[in-house]
Each structure stands twice: as C-alpha cells, then as structure tokens.
Amino acid sequence: MCGIVGYVGERAALPILLSSLRRIEYRGYDSCGILVQDNARGEVHLYKGLKSISDLIQNLDVAQFPGTIGIAHTRWATHGVPSERNAHPHLDCNEEIAVVHNGIIENFRSLREGILHNCLFHSETDTEVIPHLIEKTLVNLRREKPHTYTGDEELLMAVMREALPCLKGSYAIIVAVKGFDGLIAARRESPLIIGVGDRENFIASDVPAVLEQTNRVIYLEEGDIALVKKDQIYIENMDGGEEVRRGASLISWTIEDAEKGGYEHFMLKEIHEEPKAIINTLREYLTETGIELGIRAELMDKGKGTGSGTGAGTGTGAGTASPSLLMVACGTSFYAAQCGKYIIEHLSGIPVHVELASEFNYSDFVLAPDDVTVIGITQSGETADTLMALKKAKRFGCHTVAITNVLGSSATRIADETIYIRAGPEIGVAATKSFIAQLAILYLLGLHLGRARISEHEFMEWIEELKRMPQVAQMVLDDTEAVARRYATYLAGFENVFFVGRGVNLPVAFEGALKLKEISYIHAEGYAAGELKHGPFALLTPDTPVVAILSRDNVYEKTLGNIKEMKSRDAPVLALAVEGDEEVGKYVDGVIYVPDTEPILSPIPNTVALHLLAYWTARARGCEIDKPRNLAKSVTVE
Ligand code: F6R
C-alpha cells in the first residue's frame, strides 16, 4: 500500500529517496512521486511518475539536483484514479507546502467544501486537503499572532497542533516547507518511524525504507508530531502538547534478510524459510519447563472450569454469545485463526469463536468483557479491518491480544498485549512463512491454555512433537518440492481447481486455494470435503481438478469416501496424504506424500506442500508472483 519517506541531511536527497522508495516497492503501488528542496538556491523540484520507480529514475538526472531535503511517496489509489495528478506529493496554493500521506482523510469532502472552499485543488485525492489546511492555518496564525512565535520551528509546530485535529481518519504524513531546513512528520493510525543518522535523519512508513542508511529507529506513537532536522529530532504528542521522549530501537535484521537470498522470488525464499520461522517462534517462547508467552495469567484462567468440546460455531451470529476466546483476522491470517480454533479446542477444550474482522466490525455482536479475550491475528499489524476489530473489542472492555510479525506495528499499540511471531520480514505479497509462524503460536497457545487439563508427561510429549515440526517442514521442502513441481505443471493447464479438506485441514484447504488464486490467477475454491456433494458437484468435470487433503485423523475414511465420490464425477483428484498411505493411491490420479504427524499438527506439512504447489503453478504460468496484480502487502484501508 502507500509508502512514504523523507530525508533531511547534508547529502543529496534525491538518490537516497529513490533507493528508499525501492525498498518499499514490495508494498505495492500504482504511482510515485518525489519532491526535493534546495534551500540554498531557493529551489524546489517535483517529480511524479505513473509507473514504476525504475521508470521515474530513468527520467531523472540524479546528479543534476543537489537539494538535501526531500519527501517521496508510493501511492496505491483509494481516492482518485492512479494518475500523475493524483500522485503525491501534494502542494498548497502557493506551492510552498508539500505533503506525502499514507492513510485516508475521511472528512476531506467537508473540508474541501467548508473551510477550504477558496483553495484551488489540482487532484481528486483526500490528501490534498492537508497542504491547504496547513497553509490556511499558517496564514491565520501569522495574521492573528504575529509576534507570538520566535522562529519557524515554533510557528510550524503550532500550525500542526492546530491543523491536525481538523483531520478525521488515518494518516502518517511528512511535510516539507519551502525555505525551512527540516521536515515535520505526524501520525494517527498509520505507522511512521524516524531513522536516526549522523548529521542526517530519515522518516519512513516502513523500517526497510531506511535500513540501508541506519539501523537506529524511533517508532512514533499515536498522535505524535515530530520536527526533524539534520541534527535535531523534537517530538511532541497532540494529547498533551508537551515534548515526549522516544528512544531509538536497534533493528537487528539486515537488508540481506529482506532480500531474495539467491531465490528467484521472495515467495520461494520465504517458503524455504518456513522451518526457520517455526524454530524462531518456538525458541522465543519455549522454556525448560514449558511455555512462556508473556501474556497475562487471566487468559489461562479461561481454561479452568470450562468443559471440553467444541461448542463455538464459526458463524457471524448476533446476540450475546460469550465464547472464551474470539479471534479476528483477515485473509490468510483468518485461515490461521480458523486452524487455531481446531487447535485450541483440541488441546485445551476452550471454545474459540473466529470472525472475519471486516464482518465483526459491523455486526451486532455483543461481547461480555469478563468472559472473552479477543485475539487479533495480523502478520503486518497494519490491516485496517483487524485494527478496527481490536478497537471494537476494547470498546466492549475486553482484554485484547495481538499476534503479529511486526514490531511496533499499530496492532501492538492498540492491543493490551502482543505475542510476536518470529517469521522475519515477509516481502512477497502472498503470506507464507508468517502463516506457518502463526500456526506455531497457536499450537503454543493451545498447549499453554490446555496445560491444566493434561498430565505433565502428556504436556512434555506435545512439546517434543511440536519441536519436531521445523524438521517436518524441512522434510517437505527436501522431499516433496520436485513432486509438487511436477503436479504444478499439470495444474497450470486448468482454469478452475477445488481444494478440499476436513477438520483442522479445512482452513488449510482455504489457504491452499487462496494462495493458488492470488498468484497464478487460476480460480480456486476451498471447500469442506463433505460439502461438495451439496451443490459444487455440478461443477465437477475432467477440467476441474480437486486437490484433496487427507490426514490420518478421525475423518480419514469419510474423506476417502468423499474422494471416491469426486472421482466418480470424472474430476481429476490429486491427494495430499501421509507417507505410507497406500490406500489413497488406488482412487486418485496423483499423490503428494508428506511426513506423518499427530493429525492436529498436520497443517504444518500440508501447508508447506500447498505453498510449494501454488508457487510452482504460478511459475509454470509465467506469473509475476511476488507482486500479484491488484494486491498489496498490507491493506491499510477498510
Ligand atoms: C494472502 C495474504 C492476505 C493477508 C491479509 C491479512 O496471501 O497475504 O490475505 O493475509 O491481507 O494481512 P495481515 O496478516 O497483515 O493482517
């Protein structure tokens, strides 16, 4: 989605901004723009491009312009079509104030028609109200209080303090003012960081944008306004209007961590990092005696006195149902949450309710704060729907926990507590290793919550089995990739594919289908294996293959029965089965074998295999893979 960067220092800003923009290209964008300011010569240069950053670079003579202050933007259109006119930075009427913005200004129409009705707007964007609003406030303050402010800095901070509360919605902004030797940044509900350098500073929406320059980063908090000069960072918060101190964190991951490491695509690299993502996540929370998730003990109490069983449904019913745990998430994270329901209910007996965040936000669902903990699962920690859901849960007074991959992300600031997955930076738009790491956390959570109801011996056996999972994932990568690749070449010739599974592997089927459709553009549907006969059978033909997940669980025979029914409708069936399962081979057209595990842990090997299948299918079709059309890495709008 949109990304913003800013630079203020002694070096030429243009090449730094260009390389920073390239670091956040992975977020997805449809246009981009840069403004560079040379105060010594009193010049401002503005460049905008409709296509890629590379195109923008080609049209620029990077050496030609030595300005040392600048701001830049990658845009993913929300208000106004992708066009040069709508690309940021946007300027005020006098072209002295320039703004790049990430987020959405919800009241931009009323501002345009109200207090800014005299301004000349050049774009259809919500963002353009910001420079006009700043200009108007600046003019007013200069007129009304001409002698109050001792310098530009004081005046500009006063302007921001007065202007920003007029904006409704979400924003991370960087403001450049002609002639001023610094930048102003502010955030509300959108992430923003300051990269701390030596006689230079950087501002960005994402850490990777500044990592090439510095690994010292200040995370701005909700409501922060920062004045950033080459040798000064001053931050105050809108709430108190007082200076606030924010320490710098040292970022331990390197740019190499965020680059492809020899793989053709980030996605393939990240699938190959799935064993490491499980290891790192388990390592973080496994102690010699058990599991230490670092969350409040009350969450564990929810397990006490609750009978076993799977009482909670997965619907979106209104009413006053009070499950002990409610999980909210979107997309792949939602499928992880659905797996989590099976996992936690199996391991702890605690009922778990799962909701799509976007549905939960506008449902009549009433939560009882004393009975329910709400867990938001979000890789990026920035998904607008999931953040809203966490806020809604807080409004009910519920205890909230974020499960996320991104340190300092908005979810961590909203939720009462955070459990980090340790997947490392995920650059491919399609989530892979983060899903596996989310599963790892959900197993830990299930065991953590279930500890009181199983013997110590049983608990330790589960832990040992869980510790084997990185190895199991590695075995799939080592032994199955070639087979998956062969079947991928076969699947690549179809336009419709079903993925079916049952129990904990039903959400895995959803995940397999989502991954295939988003990167290969093949229409794929995940379905409960027992449900196809209730309608979708009508679609089964020799041109509609089915990928069927078959685990050695209590529904093995039933799933095998479902597979036979599909075969008799002439659909080609490719099974994902456990090594040693000779039986299934008699009924299907092909089998991808994965290592045997406890059935509840089978999503680990099955997911690795399905991620490989999706990747190699997309590759066989020559798709772009890391940046699928119309998609962006983090979805920061509702
Ligand atoms: C699919 C995918 C998306 C995300 C979804 C939620 O491969 O990546 O479906 O899972 O947009 O994102 P997070 O987990 O960042 O909240």
Side-chain angles (χ1 to χ4, degrees):
M1 200 130 311
C2 301
I4 59 178
V5 292
Y7 173 77
V8 49
E10 294 178 346
R11 294 188 284 158
L14 191 56
I16 295 170
L17 291 171
L18 285 169
S19 87
S20 295
L21 281 190
R22 296 197 90 147
R23 295 281 171 215
I24 52 173
E25 260 187 306
Y26 68 89
R27 289 172 63 104
Y29 64 101
D30 50 45
S31 53
C32 49
I34 300 185
L35 177 136
V36 179
Q37 192 168 293
D38 183 350
N39 288 341
R41 292 201 270 178
E43 289 176 13
V44 171
H45 286 219
L46 180 64
Y47 316 96
K48 290 187 183 188
L50 231 199
K51 291 195 184 130
S52 66
I53 291 159
S54 312
D55 287 350
L56 191 66
I57 293 172
Q58 268 181 4
N59 296 327
L60 293 178
D61 177 1
V62 173
Q64 169 217 352
F65 191 65
T68 56
I69 296 181
I71 56 177
H73 187 262
T74 48
R75 175 169 190 257
W76 191 79
T78 54
H79 293 80
V81 293
S83 67
E84 277 196 24
R85 208 156 50 89
N86 287 334
H88 302 207
H90 288 290
L91 306 176
D92 69 319
C93 297
N94 296 326
E95 303 193 346
E96 292 189 337
I97 295 162
V99 173
V100 287
H101 164 223
N102 193 4
I104 288 184
I105 303 302
E106 287 166 5
N107 61 336
F108 78 101
R109 276 203 186 83
S110 61
L111 286 170
R112 271 174 97 133
E113 287 156 17
I115 54 171
L116 302 176
H117 71 277
N118 284 333
C119 303
L120 185 61
F121 282 85
H122 296 282
S123 77
E124 305 150 275
T125 64
D126 52 334
T127 301
E128 202 184 344
V129 296
I130 306 173
H132 289 299
L133 184 66
I134 293 173
E135 180 201 21
K136 194 174 173 62
T137 315
L138 186 62
V139 170
N140 284 349
L141 277 187
R142 275 190 182 133
R143 194 181 49 226
E144 288 162 14
K145 302 179 181 172
H147 308 298
T148 309
Y149 305 102
T150 48
D152 284 350
E153 290 167 24
E154 246 188 70
L155 176 64
L156 287 174
M157 287 305 274
V159 167
M160 298 304 280
R161 245 177 267 136
E162 200 152 319
L164 291 177
C166 302
L167 301 174
K168 287 200 183 126
S170 60
Y171 54 80
I173 55 171
I174 311 176
V175 184
V177 181
K178 196 173 172 188
F180 179 58
D181 60 349
L183 295 170
I184 310 239
R187 68 156 283 185
R188 191 172 137 185
E189 295 183 19
S190 281
L192 197 58
I193 56 118
I194 299 174
V196 184
D198 186 15
R199 295 190 64 74
E200 59 184 1
N201 288 306
F202 312 83
I203 308 172
S205 48
D206 297 63
V207 174
V210 304
L211 261 189
E212 207 169 13
Q213 315 294 342
T214 179
N215 66 347
R216 284 193 299 148
V217 161
I218 296 172
Y219 291 93
L220 290 180
E221 300 266 343
E222 198 60 6
D224 278 356
I225 309 174
L227 188 137
V228 182
K229 298 173 106 178
K230 68 178 181 187
D231 45 16
Q232 182 199 354
I233 297 171
Y234 168 83
I235 306 171
E236 62 177 52
N237 193 271
M238 276 182 247
D239 277 349
E242 305 269 303
E243 180 174 4
V244 286
R245 303 236 170 244
R246 307 264 182 245
S249 308
L250 273 189
I251 301 298
S252 55
W253 37 278
T254 60
I255 289 178
E256 291 68 46
D257 285 334
E259 291 194 341
K260 285 187 204 152
Y263 290 92
E264 180 96 1
H265 295 98
F266 281 114
M267 183 175 176
L268 186 60
K269 171 177 176 265
E270 286 159 6
I271 296 172
H272 277 262
E273 287 169 350
E274 289 184 347
K276 195 168 116 200
I278 307 171
I279 294 174
N280 290 346
T281 304
L282 295 183
R283 246 188 223 146
E284 181 86 20
Y285 303 106
L286 283 179
T287 64
E288 276 183 12
T289 50
I291 298 163
E292 188 46 76
L293 287 170
I295 48 174
R296 252 167 46 176
E298 286 96 294
L299 192 54
M300 277 197 78
D301 291 340
K302 296 201 182 299
K304 295 186 186 148
T306 312
S308 65
T310 55
T314 51
T316 55
T320 55
S322 297
S324 289
L325 288 179
L326 168 66
M327 298 206 197
V328 287
C330 303
T332 282
S333 295
F334 175 70
Y335 300 141
Q338 284 189 318
C339 283
K341 171 181 164 62
Y342 287 95
I343 293 166
I344 294 170
E345 288 179 352
H346 183 82
L347 295 174
S348 74
I350 296 174
V352 179
H353 202 93
V354 181
E355 290 287 331
L356 281 167
S358 55
E359 287 299 308
F360 170 71
N361 290 335
Y362 296 97
S363 71
D364 298 327
F365 216 96
V366 177
L367 299 176
D370 292 338
D371 295 339
V372 63
T373 292
V374 177
I375 300 181
I377 306 185
T378 164
Q379 182 281 132
S380 61
E382 301 297 347
T383 299
D385 290 318
T386 309
L387 300 183
M388 262 187 84
L390 283 169
K391 284 182 192 162
K392 178 169 174 174
K394 287 193 84 166
R395 283 200 300 278
F396 279 114
C398 295
H399 184 62
T400 52
V401 178
I403 296 180
T404 186
N405 194 26
V406 181
L407 188 87
S409 58
S410 301
T412 68
R413 288 153 203 272
I414 294 166
D416 299 309
E417 298 183 285
T418 299
I419 306 174
Y420 286 104
I421 60 169
R422 296 299 183 191
E426 189 175 69
I427 307 296
V429 164
T432 50
K433 59 177 179 170
S434 62
F435 177 77
I436 282 279
Q438 287 166 347
L439 291 184
I441 286 289
L442 293 162
Y443 287 116
L444 290 171
L445 188 59
L447 283 172
H448 180 65
L449 296 170
R451 191 165 188 173
R453 66 196 283 275
I454 56 175
S455 70
E456 198 54 20
H457 177 70
E458 211 183 330
F459 178 78
M460 291 319 287
E461 273 188 351
W462 272 114
I463 297 286
E464 285 314 308
E465 187 60 6
L466 197 51
K467 282 187 185 163
R468 205 170 66 82
M469 287 306 108
Q471 198 189 331
V472 164
Q474 191 58 52
M475 281 156 76
V476 180
L477 292 168
D478 295 344
D479 305 338
T480 308
E481 185 155 11
V483 186
R485 211 172 153 168
R486 209 172 64 234
Y487 286 119
T489 314
Y490 167 75
L491 282 187
F494 294 90
E495 290 308 322
N496 298 287
V497 179
F498 276 105
F499 284 73
V500 298
R502 297 182 75 132
V504 72
N505 282 305
L506 172 57
V508 176
F510 294 151
E511 165 64 4
L514 176 63
K515 222 81 316 172
L516 188 73
K517 78 181 103 181
E518 70 181 320
I519 60 164
S520 74
Y521 312 143
I522 294 174
H523 169 235
E525 260 192 82
Y527 238 87
E531 273 290 305
L532 279 200
K533 57 181 171 292
H534 297 293
F537 261 20
L539 294 172
L540 292 188
T541 69
D543 290 330
T544 318
V546 180
V547 178
I549 308 173
L550 198 65
S551 167
R552 279 204 196 277
D553 51 16
N554 58 343
V555 285
Y556 175 84
E557 291 299 338
K558 298 261 179 252
T559 317
L560 201 57
N562 299 143
I563 287 175
K564 290 178 197 166
E565 292 159 9
M566 293 163 207
K567 264 314 298 170
S568 67
R569 268 75 188 175
D570 288 339
V573 178
L574 171 63
L576 193 57
V578 169
E579 265 159 18
D581 182 349
E582 307 273 306
E583 185 65 9
V584 65
K586 297 180 194 160
Y587 309 105
V588 298
D589 302 277
V591 187
I592 298 178
Y593 284 107
V594 294
D596 201 359
T597 61
E598 278 294 325
I600 197 72
L601 293 168
S602 61
I604 297 275
N606 290 337
T607 300
V608 181
L610 290 182
H611 284 169
L612 287 171
L613 193 65
Y615 173 80
W616 285 109
T617 307
R619 181 103 174 237
R621 286 167 71 100
C623 297
E624 215 182 327
I625 300 188
D626 278 336
K627 282 185 240 153
R629 70 179 173 221
N630 303 337
L631 297 180
K633 184 64 183 163
S634 56
V635 185
T636 52
V637 290
E638 264 189 87

